[in-house]
């Protein structure tokens, strides 16, 4: 009995929404857009700076209804290496009972306009183009004698071009976006296979939807001050037929491993905020595996009596983060170069240690001679004074045999050119070196902050070392100069949350070694 009533209800819904000129909402209602904002806004493609993201979406609406609405889809988006460009693709299939099938496929292009070098402040613009294919399969409807379907909708099908635009402002953890699906607001005719006796085709009118969203992701706690996450999210959706809809939610997370959230969504129309038609609450739980794969489940229930007829909604999202592969050949080449330089430096250190041991032996011999000269006080005093000077000289040589940091010069972000301040420091270094005696060699240790990938930072630190070497040679430094680029692996500040922390790692350290 209940199944017959629901089948009748589905037919009535189709009849009410299928006239000679009709309007319809095309995008399914998702809850997990918090974790995949690209679903509603093409400007959010490429949010993951370390690689691409694949999302699989599955939604079962109204679990009490036979053949209730069912949605499945997959999205992919990724930045193009280190550029400001991102691409994306979407495929969504929506089944509404036995009668309606919607398939949407699209391709997205996104461009980001950065306002700072770290790209934590930027504006992104996205355009999404694709097709929407819709099919009314009225022959499968289970109707009775008192309900009949217009022949024009028995087997209607249409395929049309779709266009969506989006814009998003990003500053640290804040995102504010605006997007418009179905921008063209076009019309489509269903092919009814000649069943309509009057020869009329059913007309479909696409309607624009408007989305405005705002969210802020705050991280705190733990050694890195990023273990815990809290993110409030507001989504406003307007559609001409159903009116305004507001979704308020909050999400909590721990170390990219566990998430828990809840939200409230109005049902649209004129029913007010707390008691609108089809309003509901939703609860989300999620878990991650090594920050590569994440699983989210959302349970939604209506606030009014509709849940006793239609039931609840279940949504599952599987998210995979695709980390870019490191060029192994380039990595091995750079590693071998660093290992060779380290071997040379270690050999120099070993030679210096031998010299230090010889100096210590000479020092012990000098002290023994002082003891043997105790018979002659005057001669003893002279010998003691003479040997004291010898000890000081030897001790100074011992100190000089170990590596000593002489200073550092600093670089701008992503630069290997010396600043005026850096050149002044190197000029002072030359002046001090000219006052020193003995044989020395100079050791330049290049460093970089953690932005960019590992290979790029390794090469950048090498270029910075070379810039310092060329300048020192240009001002007349004749000592041997050794280069050792560390990339991002020799940081001064482990935490690089602020620009000041990062600036401390964009440097070349200058060491002296020898006699």
């Amino acid at each position: 009995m209940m199944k017959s009533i629901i089948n009748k209800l589905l037919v009535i819904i189709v009849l009410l929404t299928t006239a000679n000129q009709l309007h319809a909402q095309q995008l399914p209602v998702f809850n997990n857009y918090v974790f995949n904002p690209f679903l509603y806004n093409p400007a959010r493609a490429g949010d993951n700076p370390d690689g691409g993201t694949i999302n699989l979406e599955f939604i079962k609406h109204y679990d009490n209804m036979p053949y209730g609405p069912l949605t499945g889809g997959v999205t992919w988006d990724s930045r193009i290496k280190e550029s400001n460009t991102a691409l994306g693709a979407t495929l969504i299939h929506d089944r509404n009972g036995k009668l309606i099938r919607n398939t949407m496929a699209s391709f997205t292009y996104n461009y980001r306009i950065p306002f700072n070098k770290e790209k934590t402040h930027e504006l992104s613009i996205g355009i999404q183009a694709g097709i929407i294919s819709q099919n009314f399969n009225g022959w499968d409807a289970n109707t009775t004698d008192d309900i009949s379907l217009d022949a024009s909708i028995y087997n209607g099908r249409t395929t049309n071009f779709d266009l969506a635009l989006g814009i998003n402002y990003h500053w640290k953890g804040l995102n504010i976006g605006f997007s418009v699906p179905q921008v063209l607001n076009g019309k489509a005719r269903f092919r009814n296979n000649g069943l309509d006796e009057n020869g009329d085709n059913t007309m479909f009118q696409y309607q624009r939807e408007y989305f405005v969203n705002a969210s802020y992701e705050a991280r705190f706690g733990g050694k890195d001050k990023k273990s815990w996450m809290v993110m409030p999210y507001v989504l406003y959706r307007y559609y001409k037929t159903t009116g305004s809809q507001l979704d308020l939610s909050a999400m909590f997370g721990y170390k990219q491993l566990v998430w828990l959230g809840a939200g409230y969504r109005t049902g649209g129309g004129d029913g007010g905020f707390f008691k609108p038609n089809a309003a509901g609450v939703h609860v989300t739980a999620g878990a991650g595996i090594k920050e590569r794969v994440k699983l989210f489940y959302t349970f939604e229930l209506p606030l009014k009596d509709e849940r006793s007829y239609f039931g609840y909604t279940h949504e599952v999202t599987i998210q995979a983060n695709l980390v870019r592969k490191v060029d192994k050949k380039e990595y091995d080449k750079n590693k071998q170069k660093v290992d060779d330089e380290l071997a040379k430096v270690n050999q120099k250190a070993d030679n210096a240690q031998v010299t230090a041991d010889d100096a210590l032996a000479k020092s012990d011999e000098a002290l023994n001679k002082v003891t043997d000269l105790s018979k002659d006080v005057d001669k003893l005093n002279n010998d003691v004074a003479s040997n004291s000077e010898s000890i000081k000289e030897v001790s100074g040589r011992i100190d000089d045999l170990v590596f000593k940091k002489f200073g550092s010069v600093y670089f701008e972000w992503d630069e290997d050119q010396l600043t005026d301040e850096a050149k002044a420091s190197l000029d002072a270094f030359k002046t001090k070196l000219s006052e020193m005696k003995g044989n020395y060699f100079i050791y330049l240790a290049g460093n970089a902050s953690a932005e960019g990938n590992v290979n790029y930072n390794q090469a950048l630190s090498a270029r910075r070392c070379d810039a310092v070497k060329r300048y020192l040679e240009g001002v007349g430094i004749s000592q041997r100069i050794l280069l050792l680029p560390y990339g991002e692996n020799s940081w001064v500040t482990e935490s690089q949350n602020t620009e000041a922390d990062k600036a401390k790692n964009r440097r070349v350290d200058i060491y002296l070694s020898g006699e």
Side-chain angles (χ1 to χ4, degrees), residues 198-450:
N198 299 322
D200 296 331
N201 286 324
T202 300
M203 181 71 69
F204 188 95
Q205 176 71 53
Y206 291 103
Q207 290 293 305
R208 296 190 187 100
E209 295 183 65
Y210 301 90
F211 291 86
V212 180
N213 70 276
S215 65
Y216 183 79
E217 180 178 337
R219 293 191 172 274
F220 55 92
K223 294 182 179 179
D224 57 357
K225 297 182 180 180
K226 291 183 179 181
S227 296
W228 293 92
M229 179 274 289
V230 58
M231 181 170 61
Y233 206 112
V234 179
L235 176 68
Y236 173 79
R237 178 175 186 166
Y238 176 78
Y239 179 66
K240 183 177 180 181
T241 302
T242 60
S244 300
Q245 187 181 65
L246 185 64
D247 195 345
L248 305 175
S249 61
M251 192 64 58
F252 301 88
Y254 177 70
K255 284 189 175 181
Q256 298 292 315
L257 297 175
V258 180
W259 293 267
L260 185 64
Y264 169 79
R265 179 171 51 245
T266 67
D270 300 324
F273 184 76
F274 290 102
K275 294 183 179 180
N277 294 328
V281 295
H282 47 88
V283 180
T284 300
I289 303 175
K290 295 183 179 181
E291 300 185 11
R292 294 292 185 91
V293 179
K294 302 172 185 176
L295 176 66
F296 304 102
Y297 168 73
T298 297
F299 176 78
E300 180 182 358
L301 68 159
L303 290 180
K304 298 186 70 176
D305 295 336
E306 282 83 352
R307 61 175 174 264
S308 62
Y309 300 105
F310 299 111
Y312 307 104
T313 295
H314 309 270
E315 181 174 353
V316 175
T317 299
I318 302 173
Q319 185 178 94
N321 294 319
L322 309 176
V323 179
R324 295 191 184 95
K325 294 183 178 179
V326 177
D327 190 333
K328 189 176 185 305
K329 291 183 178 180
E330 185 67 20
Y331 175 81
D332 292 341
K333 180 180 178 181
N334 292 332
K335 184 177 183 301
Q336 185 61 47
K337 183 178 180 180
V338 171
D339 291 343
D340 292 342
E341 292 292 342
L342 279 174
K344 294 178 182 179
V345 172
N346 290 334
Q347 184 61 47
K348 288 287 185 180
D350 292 341
N351 295 339
Q353 187 63 47
V354 172
T355 304
D357 292 339
D358 292 341
L360 286 172
K362 292 178 180 179
S363 177
D364 292 339
E365 182 180 355
L367 290 173
N368 292 331
K369 288 182 179 180
V370 172
T371 304
D372 294 338
L373 295 176
S374 59
K375 294 180 180 181
D376 190 343
V377 175
D378 293 336
K379 186 178 180 180
L380 176 64
N381 291 333
N382 293 333
D383 288 340
V384 168
S386 176
N387 281 286
S388 297
E389 294 298 325
S390 177
I391 292 172
K392 291 179 181 179
E393 180 182 355
V394 171
S395 298
R397 293 181 63 195
I398 293 172
D399 291 338
D400 289 338
L401 288 172
V402 298
F403 286 97
K404 284 189 175 181
K405 184 176 180 181
F406 203 86
S408 302
V409 293
Y410 295 88
F411 293 78
E412 299 293 335
W413 178 85
D414 198 27
E415 290 291 340
D416 56 18
Q417 300 298 316
L418 293 172
T419 64
D420 293 339
E421 183 179 357
K423 292 178 180 178
S425 298
L426 294 176
D427 291 338
F429 171 72
K430 174 193 174 184
T431 301
K432 291 181 180 180
L433 188 62
S434 64
E435 299 173 355
M436 300 180 68
K437 298 179 180 180
N439 296 322
Y440 298 90
F441 72 88
I442 300 171
Y443 159 45
L444 303 179
N447 304 276
S449 54

Side-chain angles (χ1 to χ4, degrees), residues 458-479:
Q458 188 75 35
L460 178 60
S461 66
R463 295 198 302 272
R464 288 173 174 171
C465 288
D466 186 65
V468 174
K469 177 183 178 183
R470 286 188 282 106
Y471 187 83
L472 291 176
E473 292 174 343
V475 298
I477 297 296
S478 59
Q479 282 80 0

Side-chain angles (χ1 to χ4, degrees), residues 14 18 22 99-100 134-138 153-157 190:
V14 174
T18 310
L22 57 89
L99 305 181
I100 304 174
Q134 294 185 314
N135 179 39
F136 282 137
N137 190 14
I153 65 169
Y154 266 53
N155 276 318
R157 177 186 294 275
F190 284 95

